[in-house]
Every structure is written in C-alpha cells, then in structure tokens.
Amino acid sequence: MKKKILACLLILFPIFSLGIAKADTVKSKYIIASDSSFAPFVFQNSNNEYTGIDMDLIKAIAKDQGFEIEITNPGFDAAISAVQAGQADGIIAGMSVTDARKATFDFSDSYYTANTILGVKESSTIASYEDLKDKTVGVKNGTASQTFLTENQSKYGYKIKTFSDGSSMYDSLNTGAIDAVMDDEPVLKYSISQGQKLKTPIAGTPIGETAFAVKKGTNPELIQMFNKGLANLKANGEFQKILDKYLASGAATTSTSTVDETTIWGLLQNNYKQLLSGLGITLALALISFAIAIVIGIIFGMFSVSPYKSLRLISEIFVDVIRGIPLMILAAFIFWGIPNFIESITGHQSPINDFVAGTIALSLNAAAYIAEIVRGGIQAVPVGQMEASRSLGISYGKTMRKIILPQATKLMLPNFVNQFVIALKDTTIVSAIGLVELFQTGKIIIARNYQSFKMYAILAIFYLVIITLLTRLAKRLEKRIR
C-alpha cells in the first residue's frame, strides 16, 4: 500500500510543482525590447505607460521566475535590430514564428495563435480576395501578414505597400492612399473598438504562432525561464486573465483618462508631459550634436584650405563620405552596424546607447556641411589679403587668426544659423533607431488614439515655435558679433 502511495506521489509531483517551477538566472537584469504601437499586444495608455498583453505577460513571467527586467519600446523593426546588435536580450512584440526568423532567433513556446485578417473602410465594396485585383493593400513591414500577402500576390493581383508602423498604415487607409490593410486579427479588431471606422469582410486566416525570442545561440536561460513561467501562468489561470483583459468582450481600452482626446486641447492636456519630454530630448540632441559638429566642421574646414595637400585630401574624403550617406543609414550603421561588427571580431557584445548613436550621427552629418561652410567663407575673403600679409612676413597661422577668419566668420554666421535649423529638423530622422524624441512621441500617441491630423498639427506648431525662437536668438547673436 505504501509503495502505491509513493508511486502516485512521484507521478503527481511534477503537476503539483508546476506552479513553482523555476529556471536559473544568469544576469542580474535582462533588457527586453518591444514594439511601441501594436495594440492590444503593446501600446501606450493615456497615462503614458506601456501596457498590453505582451507587457503584462513578460512582467508576470519575470515575477514568477524571480528575475529583473528592463523594457524598452523602440518599435518593431528597431526592437529586432536591438536584439541582433546586443542592445537587448530578448524581444516580445506580438512576433510570429517563421522559418526565416528561426535562422536568426531562438523562440519560446507559443503564447498566442495568430490570424491575419483584411480590413477595409466601412464604405468599401471589397468582399473577397478576388476584389483586391489592381487594388493596394497596406501591411506592416516584417510581419507574418506581409509574408501572406507576398505569397498570394500573383494569385489575386493586388499591389503591396509596406509601412514601418501601424498608425501610418491606418492613416493611409483612412485617407484613401491604400484600399485595404492586412494585420493580426486582434490588432485590427482592437483598432475598430477604439473608433476606427473599418470592417473585416473576410474571415481571418491562420498565419502561425506568436512567441518570445532571443538572438540565436544567446540567453538560453531566458527562453527556459519564459517557458516555465508561461506554463505556471497557464496552470494558475493568470495567463487567461491577461488575455481576457484585452481580448474579451468589454475589455479594457487604451485610455484610462476622462479627458476627451478628440480635441487639440484634450490632446495637449492629456499628453503635455510626454510631449515636453520628447521636446527635451529633441533640443538636447540638436544642441549637443551641433556644438560637436561646429568643432569637427571647423577642423575639417580649415583642413580644406590648408597649404598641405594631405590635409586637403583628408577633408575632401570626410565631406564626400558623410554627405554621400543618408542620415538614417548613418544612424542605423552606428547604432546597429558597429556593435555587430565589434561582436564579430571580439565575440563580445558592445551595445551603443540610442541617444549617443543619434548624437554621433547628427554631429558627423552636420559637420560635413559646416566644413563646406567654413571653406566657402574663407575662400570668399579676397585672396590678396593673404598674399599681402604673407609678403609682410606674417605667418600663415597668425594671418588666418587675425585677418582672414574674422572676416570669414561674418560671412559664415547666416549659414551656421540655417545649418542649426536643419540639424533640429534632422532629429526626426534618428527616431528610426528607436529614440523617442518629439516626432516619435507624437507617433506613439497617435497609435493610441488615432488623432493623426490634430497631433501632427500640434507637432508642427511645436517645431515652428522652437525653430522661430532659436532662429531669432541666433540672429541677435549674429548682429552683436557684426
């Protein structure tokens, strides 16, 4: 009898222990990257906090398994690149498991079975895939929905337009730039529940499983902890509560505020802290990068008019290379490319902070143009003044400091002001690496409330006021110097 009882206990022990199954951690803290606007998996609520299925799930698993996490929300493409470059240890962003991604990532057990579904405007006559012939369908880049559309494009004869974020895609549908969108079923239906005037005329199509991922061959303990934590949450019912919170009828909405965000005043009242934070990052980026750019630009500008051919050649190469690379690609190369290159050589991950990477990219880009401004300003001073000074026995360096540069500076000042304005506007481009400056802040807010026209109007006013004030300040400084 005792043997039978012991055997039963041995069989039931794994089941009883499921709720406390844990894996061993290796790091004191894990950085988890995610999307910034992919409701209901991840989105910002009206309190400017990231929430959603993925956010609640990873936090619950971390608590269950006893490890600490830091979550970043740079956007889907940036999150994938961050994991590949070592800036993050894992990604949870409603990410579908595909054969192509398995070559790059190690996936956890699935936590959601995804369907892709077509969305059209309420007034649309599209009722089947056959009706999409010669129409344009929008899809988010890098998603399983994009794979589905690509595989069936020749069959149904539609055109595909890809987007980097969901808010831009839905805006394009609402304005008539595209005829339909394809997205994960819960995402599309959630957008409808938030006021999007869309319908889904075709039943959803299974496109695979959704899972947590890490870079292939790294952080195996993180996958193990995720799987054990997921199993525990399913066993104790916590996982189903998370799903019901966002997917069940009458689920929580993206807003917990009573402020009406359909008006410009309501948008400002509810999001001014977030907008001011984004503005602060934008100004810091512009001011710091421009200060560095002036130093670098003046150095290479002086090189370009040097009597030494080697210095002139160095300056020419710098200007041609930096001006020949688009700013977005330069920022991506610094933020993702360099860490990957270092890792391939040393075997160690060396992530770069997104603000630092953005500052470096903006500094180098502006420096190349400032170098040309300096060269042009110096060459605008009559060459006879240099010759006269040298004929009197004054050294080249002293001639430049005392005679040429004071005159050239007055000629260069207006161009410096213009270049600073350009540098301030260029900060919007570095949002591509996931840096949440003013423009990216606005896009995140739009993803929550779909008030694109009003929010872009607010952003335009922000930039107009700041650029106007800084330009007036620079012109006063210019007058005083003159």
Side-chain angles (χ1 to χ4, degrees):
M1 183 66 179
K2 290 181 178 180
K3 290 182 179 180
K4 289 183 178 180
I5 294 174
L6 181 60
C8 289
L9 288 174
L10 289 173
I11 293 172
L12 293 172
F13 178 75
I15 298 174
F16 290 139
S17 64
L18 184 62
I20 57 173
K22 291 187 177 182
D24 296 327
T25 59
V26 174
K27 299 182 178 181
S28 59
K29 179 187 289 185
Y30 292 90
I31 299 175
I32 309 299
S34 186
D35 206 337
S36 58
S37 56
F38 193 55
F41 290 98
V42 55
F43 57 89
Q44 267 195 343
N45 61 24
S46 57
N47 293 325
N48 303 328
E49 299 170 344
Y50 284 100
T51 186
I53 295 171
D54 288 349
M55 297 296 94
D56 289 5
L57 180 60
I58 191 64
K59 290 175 183 177
I61 289 176
K63 181 179 180 181
D64 179 84
Q65 292 294 295
F67 64 94
E68 189 177 351
I69 59 172
E70 176 185 337
I71 302 175
T72 63
N73 298 83
F76 186 73
D77 289 342
I80 287 179
S81 297
V83 174
Q84 291 175 312
Q87 277 104 349
D89 300 301
I91 175 173
I92 182 167
M95 188 174 177
S96 300
V97 182
T98 64
D99 291 336
R101 287 176 179 164
K102 285 181 180 179
T104 309
F105 297 96
D106 290 328
F107 285 94
S108 69
D109 294 338
S110 170
Y111 63 87
Y112 191 81
T113 301
N115 283 349
T116 188
I117 194 169
L118 193 75
V120 297
K121 295 174 73 171
E122 287 183 344
S123 58
S124 174
T125 58
I126 294 173
S128 65
Y129 287 122
E130 287 75 12
D131 294 336
L132 292 174
K133 184 175 176 60
D134 297 326
K135 298 287 196 302
T136 301
V137 184
V139 68
K140 196 173 177 181
N141 187 41
T143 61
S145 297
Q146 184 186 28
T147 302
F148 175 86
L149 285 177
T150 303
E151 291 175 349
N152 292 278
Q153 185 174 15
S154 59
K155 180 178 179 181
Y156 296 113
Y158 47 72
K159 291 174 284 188
I160 301 174
K161 185 171 183 179
T162 58
F163 295 85
S164 60
D165 61 89
S167 58
S168 299
M169 181 174 72
Y170 287 106
D171 279 343
S172 295
L173 177 62
N174 289 328
T175 58
I178 56 178
D179 302 291
V181 298
M182 180 157 276
D183 209 344
D184 285 6
E185 187 166 358
V187 177
L188 182 53
K189 290 188 174 179
Y190 200 84
S191 72
I192 294 173
S193 73
Q194 298 303 303
Q196 287 287 296
K197 298 185 181 302
L198 308 176
K199 62 181 180 180
T200 54
I202 307 171
T205 303
I207 53 173
E209 304 297 322
T210 301
F212 173 79
V214 299
K215 184 178 179 181
K216 199 167 188 66
T218 66
N219 300 311
E221 77 286 353
L222 193 51
I223 291 292
Q224 185 183 16
M225 289 188 293
F226 187 94
N227 288 341
K228 289 189 175 183
L230 180 62
N232 292 345
L233 294 180
K234 286 182 176 180
N236 62 28
E238 186 65 25
F239 176 72
Q240 190 58 47
K241 289 181 181 178
I242 293 173
L243 292 183
D244 291 343
K245 179 180 176 181
Y246 299 98
L247 298 179
S249 177
T253 66
T254 56
S255 177
T256 59
S257 172
T258 57
V259 177
D260 181 12
E261 290 194 333
T262 61
T263 65
I264 288 181
W265 172 245
L267 284 170
L268 285 170
Q269 186 180 0
N270 208 44
N271 300 288
Y272 74 93
K273 290 182 180 179
Q274 192 178 1
L275 290 168
L276 289 177
S277 175
L279 177 61
I281 294 175
T282 291
L283 290 175
L285 264 177
L287 293 170
I288 294 173
S289 64
F290 193 71
I292 297 172
I294 286 179
V295 175
I296 299 173
I298 289 175
I299 291 173
F300 281 99
M302 296 298 292
F303 281 1
S304 67
V305 295
S306 170
Y308 301 103
K309 186 177 180 180
S310 58
L311 293 181
R312 294 199 303 271
L313 180 62
I314 290 172
S315 176
E316 186 177 347
I317 292 173
F318 170 77
V319 171
D320 287 346
V321 169
I322 299 300
R323 289 203 308 181
I325 301 174
L327 178 55
M328 185 180 294
I329 294 177
L330 181 62
F333 175 76
I334 294 171
F335 187 58
W336 293 310
I338 291 178
N340 272 325
F341 178 70
I342 294 174
E343 184 181 2
S344 67
I345 295 176
T346 64
H348 299 288
Q349 294 180 338
S350 303
I352 300 176
N353 177 270
D354 54 3
F355 185 87
V356 173
T359 301
I360 294 172
L362 287 167
S363 299
L364 291 175
N365 184 72
Y369 290 94
I370 289 174
E372 287 295 276
I373 292 172
V374 172
R375 180 187 62 79
I378 292 173
Q379 290 180 342
V381 177
V383 68
Q385 296 193 32
M386 172 65 77
E387 294 172 349
S389 178
R390 296 304 305 277
S391 67
L392 293 173
I394 302 174
S395 67
Y396 175 84
K398 191 172 184 179
T399 300
M400 289 295 293
R401 291 196 309 274
K402 298 293 185 178
I403 300 173
I404 306 300
L405 286 179
Q407 298 179 70
T409 300
K410 294 179 181 180
L411 298 172
M412 292 186 285
L413 274 176
N415 291 322
F416 279 157
V417 173
N418 290 336
Q419 188 57 46
F420 176 71
V421 171
I422 293 171
L424 183 59
K425 292 179 180 179
D426 282 349
T427 57
T428 61
I429 297 176
V430 298
S431 64
I433 63 175
L435 185 60
V436 184
E437 39 65 73
L438 182 58
F439 178 62
Q440 182 71 1
T441 298
K443 290 176 66 177
I444 291 171
I445 295 171
I446 291 169
R448 183 186 75 238
N449 54 38
Y450 298 99
Q451 299 296 320
S452 56
F453 175 78
K454 297 182 180 68
M455 182 49 62
Y456 283 134
I458 291 172
L459 293 179
I461 293 171
F462 264 82
Y463 281 108
L464 178 62
V465 170
I466 295 301
I467 290 173
T468 301
L469 290 175
L470 291 174
T471 301
R472 294 286 176 85
L473 181 63
K475 286 184 176 180
R476 282 194 175 186
L477 179 62
E478 179 186 338
K479 287 181 180 179
R480 292 188 64 179
I481 292 176
R482 286 186 171 182

PDB file of all heavy atoms in Angstrom, residues 130-146:
ATOM      1  N   GLU A 130     -10.599  38.204 -54.249  1.00  0.00           N
ATOM      2  CA  GLU A 130     -10.688  38.460 -55.689  1.00  0.00           C
ATOM      3  C   GLU A 130     -10.976  39.939 -55.989  1.00  0.00           C
ATOM      4  O   GLU A 130     -10.560  40.470 -57.021  1.00  0.00           O
ATOM      5  CB  GLU A 130     -11.773  37.589 -56.324  1.00  0.00           C
ATOM      6  CG  GLU A 130     -11.407  36.114 -56.457  1.00  0.00           C
ATOM      7  CD  GLU A 130     -11.463  35.354 -55.145  1.00  0.00           C
ATOM      8  OE1 GLU A 130     -12.002  35.904 -54.157  1.00  0.00           O
ATOM      9  OE2 GLU A 130     -10.953  34.212 -55.091  1.00  0.00           O
ATOM     10  N   ASP A 131     -11.664  40.612 -55.072  1.00  0.00           N
ATOM     11  CA  ASP A 131     -11.993  42.029 -55.263  1.00  0.00           C
ATOM     12  C   ASP A 131     -10.776  42.938 -55.105  1.00  0.00           C
ATOM     13  O   ASP A 131     -10.862  44.145 -55.367  1.00  0.00           O
ATOM     14  CB  ASP A 131     -13.078  42.460 -54.265  1.00  0.00           C
ATOM     15  CG  ASP A 131     -14.402  41.768 -54.514  1.00  0.00           C
ATOM     16  OD1 ASP A 131     -14.628  41.335 -55.662  1.00  0.00           O
ATOM     17  OD2 ASP A 131     -15.203  41.653 -53.566  1.00  0.00           O
ATOM     18  N   LEU A 132      -9.653  42.378 -54.659  1.00  0.00           N
ATOM     19  CA  LEU A 132      -8.455  43.184 -54.445  1.00  0.00           C
ATOM     20  C   LEU A 132      -7.631  43.370 -55.719  1.00  0.00           C
ATOM     21  O   LEU A 132      -6.603  44.049 -55.689  1.00  0.00           O
ATOM     22  CB  LEU A 132      -7.565  42.528 -53.374  1.00  0.00           C
ATOM     23  CG  LEU A 132      -8.114  42.507 -51.941  1.00  0.00           C
ATOM     24  CD1 LEU A 132      -7.182  41.709 -51.044  1.00  0.00           C
ATOM     25  CD2 LEU A 132      -8.283  43.926 -51.408  1.00  0.00           C
ATOM     26  N   LYS A 133      -8.058  42.798 -56.829  1.00  0.00           N
ATOM     27  CA  LYS A 133      -7.306  42.903 -58.081  1.00  0.00           C
ATOM     28  C   LYS A 133      -7.071  44.383 -58.430  1.00  0.00           C
ATOM     29  O   LYS A 133      -8.002  45.185 -58.453  1.00  0.00           O
ATOM     30  CB  LYS A 133      -8.062  42.203 -59.214  1.00  0.00           C
ATOM     31  CG  LYS A 133      -7.296  42.184 -60.540  1.00  0.00           C
ATOM     32  CD  LYS A 133      -8.046  41.371 -61.577  1.00  0.00           C
ATOM     33  CE  LYS A 133      -7.352  41.419 -62.922  1.00  0.00           C
ATOM     34  NZ  LYS A 133      -5.975  40.895 -62.874  1.00  0.00           N
ATOM     35  N   ASP A 134      -5.806  44.708 -58.664  1.00  0.00           N
ATOM     36  CA  ASP A 134      -5.354  46.068 -59.002  1.00  0.00           C
ATOM     37  C   ASP A 134      -5.526  47.061 -57.859  1.00  0.00           C
ATOM     38  O   ASP A 134      -5.330  48.267 -58.039  1.00  0.00           O
ATOM     39  CB  ASP A 134      -6.086  46.601 -60.246  1.00  0.00           C
ATOM     40  CG  ASP A 134      -5.791  45.760 -61.481  1.00  0.00           C
ATOM     41  OD1 ASP A 134      -4.656  45.253 -61.592  1.00  0.00           O
ATOM     42  OD2 ASP A 134      -6.696  45.608 -62.322  1.00  0.00           O
ATOM     43  N   LYS A 135      -5.905  46.576 -56.678  1.00  0.00           N
ATOM     44  CA  LYS A 135      -6.010  47.438 -55.510  1.00  0.00           C
ATOM     45  C   LYS A 135      -4.672  47.412 -54.737  1.00  0.00           C
ATOM     46  O   LYS A 135      -3.813  46.566 -54.961  1.00  0.00           O
ATOM     47  CB  LYS A 135      -7.131  46.954 -54.588  1.00  0.00           C
ATOM     48  CG  LYS A 135      -8.521  46.967 -55.220  1.00  0.00           C
ATOM     49  CD  LYS A 135      -9.058  48.374 -55.363  1.00  0.00           C
ATOM     50  CE  LYS A 135     -10.554  48.392 -55.612  1.00  0.00           C
ATOM     51  NZ  LYS A 135     -10.984  47.639 -56.809  1.00  0.00           N
ATOM     52  N   THR A 136      -4.497  48.357 -53.815  1.00  0.00           N
ATOM     53  CA  THR A 136      -3.286  48.436 -52.995  1.00  0.00           C
ATOM     54  C   THR A 136      -3.615  48.055 -51.554  1.00  0.00           C
ATOM     55  O   THR A 136      -4.528  48.623 -50.947  1.00  0.00           O
ATOM     56  CB  THR A 136      -2.696  49.858 -53.019  1.00  0.00           C
ATOM     57  OG1 THR A 136      -2.396  50.220 -54.370  1.00  0.00           O
ATOM     58  CG2 THR A 136      -1.405  49.919 -52.204  1.00  0.00           C
ATOM     59  N   VAL A 137      -2.860  47.096 -51.039  1.00  0.00           N
ATOM     60  CA  VAL A 137      -3.072  46.609 -49.673  1.00  0.00           C
ATOM     61  C   VAL A 137      -1.871  47.019 -48.821  1.00  0.00           C
ATOM     62  O   VAL A 137      -0.727  46.765 -49.192  1.00  0.00           O
ATOM     63  CB  VAL A 137      -3.242  45.083 -49.638  1.00  0.00           C
ATOM     64  CG1 VAL A 137      -3.553  44.621 -48.208  1.00  0.00           C
ATOM     65  CG2 VAL A 137      -4.340  44.647 -50.593  1.00  0.00           C
ATOM     66  N   GLY A 138      -2.134  47.644 -47.687  1.00  0.00           N
ATOM     67  CA  GLY A 138      -1.076  48.051 -46.772  1.00  0.00           C
ATOM     68  C   GLY A 138      -0.788  46.969 -45.754  1.00  0.00           C
ATOM     69  O   GLY A 138      -1.691  46.247 -45.321  1.00  0.00           O
ATOM     70  N   VAL A 139       0.462  46.858 -45.358  1.00  0.00           N
ATOM     71  CA  VAL A 139       0.856  45.865 -44.362  1.00  0.00           C
ATOM     72  C   VAL A 139       2.082  46.365 -43.618  1.00  0.00           C
ATOM     73  O   VAL A 139       2.893  47.133 -44.160  1.00  0.00           O
ATOM     74  CB  VAL A 139       1.146  44.494 -45.032  1.00  0.00           C
ATOM     75  CG1 VAL A 139       2.400  44.564 -45.897  1.00  0.00           C
ATOM     76  CG2 VAL A 139       1.257  43.389 -43.993  1.00  0.00           C
ATOM     77  N   LYS A 140       2.225  45.962 -42.388  1.00  0.00           N
ATOM     78  CA  LYS A 140       3.366  46.374 -41.582  1.00  0.00           C
ATOM     79  C   LYS A 140       4.586  45.545 -41.953  1.00  0.00           C
ATOM     80  O   LYS A 140       4.505  44.320 -42.089  1.00  0.00           O
ATOM     81  CB  LYS A 140       3.041  46.205 -40.096  1.00  0.00           C
ATOM     82  CG  LYS A 140       3.992  46.939 -39.169  1.00  0.00           C
ATOM     83  CD  LYS A 140       3.492  46.852 -37.745  1.00  0.00           C
ATOM     84  CE  LYS A 140       4.461  47.526 -36.792  1.00  0.00           C
ATOM     85  NZ  LYS A 140       4.022  47.433 -35.390  1.00  0.00           N
ATOM     86  N   ASN A 141       5.712  46.213 -42.123  1.00  0.00           N
ATOM     87  CA  ASN A 141       6.940  45.558 -42.576  1.00  0.00           C
ATOM     88  C   ASN A 141       7.421  44.500 -41.579  1.00  0.00           C
ATOM     89  O   ASN A 141       7.404  44.705 -40.369  1.00  0.00           O
ATOM     90  CB  ASN A 141       8.039  46.612 -42.766  1.00  0.00           C
ATOM     91  CG  ASN A 141       9.285  46.022 -43.387  1.00  0.00           C
ATOM     92  OD1 ASN A 141       9.212  45.210 -44.296  1.00  0.00           O
ATOM     93  ND2 ASN A 141      10.445  46.434 -42.893  1.00  0.00           N
ATOM     94  N   GLY A 142       7.844  43.346 -42.120  1.00  0.00           N
ATOM     95  CA  GLY A 142       8.439  42.302 -41.301  1.00  0.00           C
ATOM     96  C   GLY A 142       7.456  41.412 -40.568  1.00  0.00           C
ATOM     97  O   GLY A 142       7.847  40.624 -39.710  1.00  0.00           O
ATOM     98  N   THR A 143       6.161  41.513 -40.879  1.00  0.00           N
ATOM     99  CA  THR A 143       5.148  40.728 -40.183  1.00  0.00           C
ATOM    100  C   THR A 143       4.755  39.497 -40.988  1.00  0.00           C
ATOM    101  O   THR A 143       5.021  39.401 -42.189  1.00  0.00           O
ATOM    102  CB  THR A 143       3.894  41.577 -39.925  1.00  0.00           C
ATOM    103  OG1 THR A 143       3.359  42.004 -41.191  1.00  0.00           O
ATOM    104  CG2 THR A 143       4.232  42.811 -39.098  1.00  0.00           C
ATOM    105  N   ALA A 144       4.086  38.559 -40.308  1.00  0.00           N
ATOM    106  CA  ALA A 144       3.588  37.364 -40.993  1.00  0.00           C
ATOM    107  C   ALA A 144       2.501  37.741 -41.995  1.00  0.00           C
ATOM    108  O   ALA A 144       2.311  37.056 -43.000  1.00  0.00           O
ATOM    109  CB  ALA A 144       3.049  36.371 -39.967  1.00  0.00           C
ATOM    110  N   SER A 145       1.783  38.824 -41.735  1.00  0.00           N
ATOM    111  CA  SER A 145       0.777  39.306 -42.687  1.00  0.00           C
ATOM    112  C   SER A 145       1.431  39.698 -44.005  1.00  0.00           C
ATOM    113  O   SER A 145       0.885  39.453 -45.089  1.00  0.00           O
ATOM    114  CB  SER A 145       0.026  40.515 -42.106  1.00  0.00           C
ATOM    115  OG  SER A 145      -0.693  40.166 -40.945  1.00  0.00           O
ATOM    116  N   GLN A 146       2.609  40.298 -43.926  1.00  0.00           N
ATOM    117  CA  GLN A 146       3.339  40.650 -45.137  1.00  0.00           C
ATOM    118  C   GLN A 146       3.737  39.395 -45.915  1.00  0.00           C
ATOM    119  O   GLN A 146       3.642  39.358 -47.144  1.00  0.00           O
ATOM    120  CB  GLN A 146       4.588  41.461 -44.788  1.00  0.00           C
ATOM    121  CG  GLN A 146       5.358  41.944 -46.020  1.00  0.00           C
ATOM    122  CD  GLN A 146       6.664  42.623 -45.650  1.00  0.00           C
ATOM    123  OE1 GLN A 146       7.263  42.326 -44.616  1.00  0.00           O
ATOM    124  NE2 GLN A 146       7.112  43.542 -46.484  1.00  0.00           N
TER     125      GLN A 146
END
